[in-house]
């Protein structure tokens, strides 16, 4: 059985971390910065954005999370962000170029060409291109 995995964007520190604990009672998340696993940081829910893993990996073996910006590997540059649908809770591919339409990010699609090129927090310049 696969465990749920999360990462977090710390709004104050402006860093991305790997979640080690989510405390729903006290509304806090504890995480570590990938380069410094021995250093735990705790923040309240209001100070972070929590992103769930899709459980899938891109063509380079990088895990794909909510908030990632991916190139779907077509001949035309086609960047999408991974976003949770508020009504259904399914993950969606949301095109950065508004000429394209959203589609659901399911386990049944061929993702062998997908490549993570950044995320919506650390790579805001990718969002501004479109």
């Amino acid at each position: 059985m696969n465990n749920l995995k999360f990462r977090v964007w710390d709004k104050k520190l402006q860093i991305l971390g790997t979640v080690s604990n989510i405390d729903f009672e006290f509304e806090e998340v504890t995480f570590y910065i990938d380069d410094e696993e021995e250093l735990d940081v705790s923040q309240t829910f209001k100070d972070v954005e929590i992103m769930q893993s899709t459980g899938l990996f891109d063509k380079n073996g990088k895990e794909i999370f909510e908030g990632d910006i991916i190139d779907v590997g077509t001949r035309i540059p086609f960047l999408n962000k991974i976003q949770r649908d508020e009504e259904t809770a399914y993950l969606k591919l949301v095109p950065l170029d508004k000429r394209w339409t959203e589609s659901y990010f399911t386990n049944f699609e061929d993702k062998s060409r997908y490549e993570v090129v950044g995320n919506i927090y650390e790579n805001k310049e990718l969002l501004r291109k479109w």
Side-chain angles (χ1 to χ4, degrees), residues 74-124:
T74 56
R75 286 176 282 146
I76 301 168
F78 186 37
L79 297 182
N80 294 267
K81 64 182 174 178
I82 306 296
Q83 180 177 314
R84 185 167 308 280
D85 184 310
E86 295 298 322
E87 286 183 30
T88 65
Y90 289 119
L91 293 175
K92 300 187 294 189
L93 287 173
V94 179
L96 299 185
D97 184 336
K98 300 303 178 202
R99 295 176 292 176
W100 301 98
T101 59
E102 296 178 358
S103 63
Y104 286 102
F105 187 73
T106 68
N107 290 334
F108 303 106
E109 295 177 36
D110 174 20
K111 295 176 191 55
S112 63
R113 296 183 316 237
Y114 288 8
E115 180 177 18
V116 174
V117 295
N119 65 66
I120 61 173
Y121 302 103
E122 295 176 308
N123 308 101
K124 291 185 187 320

Side-chain angles (χ1 to χ4, degrees), residues 1-129:
M1 180 178 201
N2 291 340
N3 292 328
L4 294 176
K5 286 183 71 178
F6 297 90
R7 71 177 183 195
V8 66
W9 175 252
D10 186 312
K11 296 175 192 175
K12 289 180 177 181
L13 301 175
Q14 299 286 296
I15 55 172
L16 202 60
T18 300
V19 173
S20 54
N21 187 56
I22 299 175
D23 185 330
F24 290 99
E25 182 179 355
F26 294 102
E27 297 186 348
E28 287 186 341
V29 62
T30 304
F31 61 95
Y32 60 88
I33 297 116
D34 292 333
D35 296 339
E36 304 173 29
E37 287 189 33
E38 66 279 348
L39 178 64
D40 278 345
V41 178
S42 290
Q43 294 286 18
T44 62
F45 284 178
K46 69 177 179 52
D47 293 326
V48 298
E49 293 291 336
I50 300 172
M51 297 158 280
Q52 185 173 344
S53 169
T54 64
L56 302 169
F57 295 83
D58 75 358
K59 69 180 187 179
N60 300 312
K62 183 172 178 142
E63 193 163 9
I64 302 173
F65 283 83
E66 264 182 279
D68 278 343
I69 298 171
I70 62 171
D71 181 343
V72 295
T74 56
R75 286 176 282 146
I76 301 168
F78 186 37
L79 297 182
N80 294 267
K81 64 182 174 178
I82 306 296
Q83 180 177 314
R84 185 167 308 280
D85 184 310
E86 295 298 322
E87 286 183 30
T88 65
Y90 289 119
L91 293 175
K92 300 187 294 189
L93 287 173
V94 179
L96 299 185
D97 184 336
K98 300 303 178 202
R99 295 176 292 176
W100 301 98
T101 59
E102 296 178 358
S103 63
Y104 286 102
F105 187 73
T106 68
N107 290 334
F108 303 106
E109 295 177 36
D110 174 20
K111 295 176 191 55
S112 63
R113 296 183 316 237
Y114 288 8
E115 180 177 18
V116 174
V117 295
N119 65 66
I120 61 173
Y121 302 103
E122 295 176 308
N123 308 101
K124 291 185 187 320
E125 72 281 0
L126 293 174
L127 299 173
R128 287 192 281 269
K129 280 176 119 173

